[in-house]
Amino acid sequence: MFSWLGTDDRRKKEPEVFQTVSEGLKKLYKTKLLPLEESYKFHEFHSPALEDADFDNKPMVLLVGQYSTGKTSFIRYLLEQDFPGMRIGPEPTTDSFIAVMHGDTEGVIPGNALVVDPKKPFRKLNAFGNAFLNRFVCAQLPNPVLESISVIDTPGILSGEKQRISRGYDFAAVLEWFAERVDRIILLFDAHKLDISDEFSEVIKALKNHEDKIRVVLNKADQIETQQLMRVYGALMWSLGKIVNTPEVIRVYIGSFWSHPLLIPDNRKLFEAEEQDLFKDIQSLPRNAALRKLNDLIKRARLAKVHAYIISSLKKEMPSVFGKENKKKELIGSLGDIYKRIEREHQISPGDFPNLKKMQDQLQSQDLNKFQPLKPKLLEAVDDMLANDIASLMVLVRQEETQRPNAVVKGGAFDGTLDGPFGHGYGEGAGEGIDEAEWVVARDKPAYDEIFYTLSPVNGKVTGANAKKEMVKSKLPNTVLGKIWKLADIDKDGMLDDEEFALANHLIKVKLEGHELPSDLPAHLVPPSKRKIPE
C-alpha cells in the first residue's frame, strides 16, 4: 500500500492514505476543486462535473477526420476484427459516435442507455440531448486490444453550413467534451483530399488547449507516387500550420492503415517505420494514463481559478438596484479589460484565460447579480491542492509506473509484427544474416583481413591504438565508435583479433548505412570461434 501525507498543519486532519492515483484524484477533486466549480457555475460555462468513471476508465483514443479518410478501417486494422455497428464505404457511412469498448459478449448499447450507466464515463453527455444520443452507441466485443484502451469513432466531417445545421446538435462541442477526457486524439487525412472544410477547421479549433494529445495520420499514402507524397505532406503541414497554433511542428504519421495490398509499394519501409512509431505511441497510453489524468486535473484547476476571479469581478461591478441591464452590457463589452486587470492583480498567464468571444456569448444569458463574490477559502483549498497534494500524488504516480513497466496495449495489429520475419527491421542492419547458418560478417572478411594485417598485429591481435587509427577513418563520432568497440571486443582484452576486427568493421558499415546499433551483440553476429565463451 502506498501513501502520501499532507504537510500543511492548517488542514488539521488526519493524514490521507490512498491505494491508487485514481482514488487520490477522485478525493482531491470532490473535496477541493468541486466546491469552487459549483460556487462559480463552472459547469455551465466550461465542462460538466467529473464523475468516478472519468478517473477509473481505460485510456481512450478519439479518431477525427473528414468522411472517407479511413477512421473505421483504422479501428478494424488495430483490432483485426469487425466490431458491431461497423460500416465502411467511400461515401459518408459512419453517422454516429461509436465508443468501441471491451465486453464479454458482442453487442451494441444505445446512447440513452449508455448515459445512465455509472460504470461508463459518458453520463454527462446527456446534456447534448436526444438529437445527439440517437447518434451515439457503444460497441462492445471481447478483443485483447480493448482490454487496455477504448476507441471513439466519430461521424465523418462534411463541409457547408447545411451539414452543420442538419446534425441537430453541436458537433464541435461534443468533440471538445471528448477531447478533454481522452488520452490521444488522432486526426486522419486522406492523401487524395487534403482540403480542410469549414467544419473540420472549426473542430480543430475546438481541440485548442489539447494540442499535446493530438497526432496526425496521413492515410492511404500507398496510392500515390513518392514525388506526389512529398508534395501532399508539405501541403498538409502548411494547412495544419494555419489552424493549429503551436510553435512546434505537429507529428504526422504517413502510411496506409488497412489490410489491403499496397498499390505502390515503393515506400514500404517508410510506412513500416511510421506504423511502428504510431503503435509505440498508442501502446504507451496505459502506462501514462495516471499522469495524463493528473495533468488534466491541474489544467482544470487552473481554469476554475481564473473563472472564479472573472465571475467574482463581474459580481463586484454590478449595481444592487438600478441600471442592471445597462451595466451588464457594459461589463460584457469590456470583458477583455477585466481579463487584463485580473492578469495583473493575480499574476496569471494570459494562456490560462477562457476564450473571450465564447465567454461573452455565454454571459448574455446569465444573471450577473446571482454570481458569487470572491471566497478566499475556496481558492486557498485549490492552491493547497496544486502546491502540496498534487506534488505528493506525483510520487504515487511514479510508484505505479514502476510497478507496471509492461502495461502496454497488446493483441490485434500490435502483435502482428512484434516477432518473426515481418517485424520492423527484421533482417536489416544489425539483424542481417539472422536466419543464415554462415556468419554474415564472413562475406566481407577477406577485405577486412587485408586491412587487419597492415595494422601490425602481435600474436594475432591489434592493439586499441592501432585499431583506432583505422576506425576513425569512418568519421563516426567517438561515442559511436566506443560503443562499436565494446560490442566487437568480445573477450574484453582491450585488443581485437581478425574476427573481432571484421565484426567492428561490419558494425561500422551498419551504422554508416543508417541503421541503429544494438545495445547487446545479437547471437548471430558473435564470431564462430567465440560462441562457446560463457557470458
Side-chain angles (χ1 to χ4, degrees), residues 45-243:
F45 284 85
H46 302 289
S47 176
L50 299 176
E51 297 190 330
D52 287 354
D54 290 310
F55 295 102
D56 295 333
N57 70 302
K58 296 169 187 171
M60 293 193 289
V61 178
L62 179 69
L63 298 182
V64 182
Q66 299 183 134
Y67 73 90
S68 192
T69 52
K71 297 185 297 298
T72 308
S73 298
F74 182 85
I75 298 174
R76 202 214 168 282
Y77 184 73
L78 293 185
L79 304 183
E80 292 188 339
Q81 74 174 94
D82 294 347
F83 57 88
M86 184 186 87
R87 289 174 62 215
I88 296 174
E91 74 287 352
T93 48
T94 304
D95 64 345
S96 303
F97 282 81
I98 303 177
V100 187
M101 307 182 82
H102 187 268
D104 294 330
T105 56
E106 279 197 26
V108 174
I109 304 172
N112 282 291
L114 199 56
V115 294
V116 295
D117 186 349
K119 293 182 180 178
K120 297 281 194 299
F122 306 124
R123 282 160 59 97
K124 297 298 181 179
L125 283 168
N126 193 49
F128 292 102
N130 273 332
F132 167 70
L133 295 179
N134 291 335
R135 291 282 180 268
F136 180 44
V137 296
C138 175
Q140 289 190 318
L141 67 156
N143 184 285
V145 173
L146 300 176
E147 290 176 8
S148 305
I149 60 171
S150 300
V151 187
I152 313 296
D153 193 8
T154 61
I157 296 169
L158 303 160
S159 57
E161 186 66 25
K162 180 183 176 184
Q163 298 295 347
R164 282 204 292 277
I165 294 169
S166 66
R167 290 193 192 275
Y169 61 90
D170 192 337
F171 182 68
V174 173
L175 282 177
E176 191 174 356
W177 187 95
F178 275 109
E180 191 176 328
R181 288 158 177 79
V182 301
D183 296 70
R184 185 67 74 238
I185 302 165
I186 297 180
L187 301 179
L188 280 99
F189 288 87
D190 186 334
H192 282 99
K193 51 173 194 276
L194 290 184
D195 59 306
I196 298 180
S197 67
D198 298 340
E199 189 175 29
F200 199 8
S201 179
E202 185 182 322
V203 162
I204 295 174
K205 287 174 183 173
L207 304 178
K208 193 179 186 310
N209 300 324
H210 303 289
E211 288 92 349
D212 56 315
K213 299 179 181 180
I214 294 177
R215 302 291 184 270
V216 175
V217 169
L218 180 57
N219 203 12
K220 304 183 184 179
D222 70 304
Q223 300 181 8
I224 55 178
E225 300 281 354
T226 303
Q227 190 175 11
Q228 289 176 303
L229 183 59
M230 289 172 60
R231 289 172 179 161
V232 166
Y233 177 79
L236 175 60
M237 297 301 290
W238 182 79
S239 299
L240 287 171
K242 294 197 300 180
I243 300 172

Side-chain angles (χ1 to χ4, degrees), residues 281-309:
D281 185 70
I282 296 173
Q283 284 183 298
S284 69
L285 295 180
R287 192 168 57 246
N288 300 327
L291 194 57
R292 194 275 303 169
K293 289 170 186 172
L294 186 66
N295 184 55
D296 283 355
L297 188 70
I298 294 169
K299 284 202 288 188
R300 188 181 178 100
R302 291 168 70 93
L303 178 60
K305 274 184 62 183
V306 173
H307 180 76
Y309 286 129

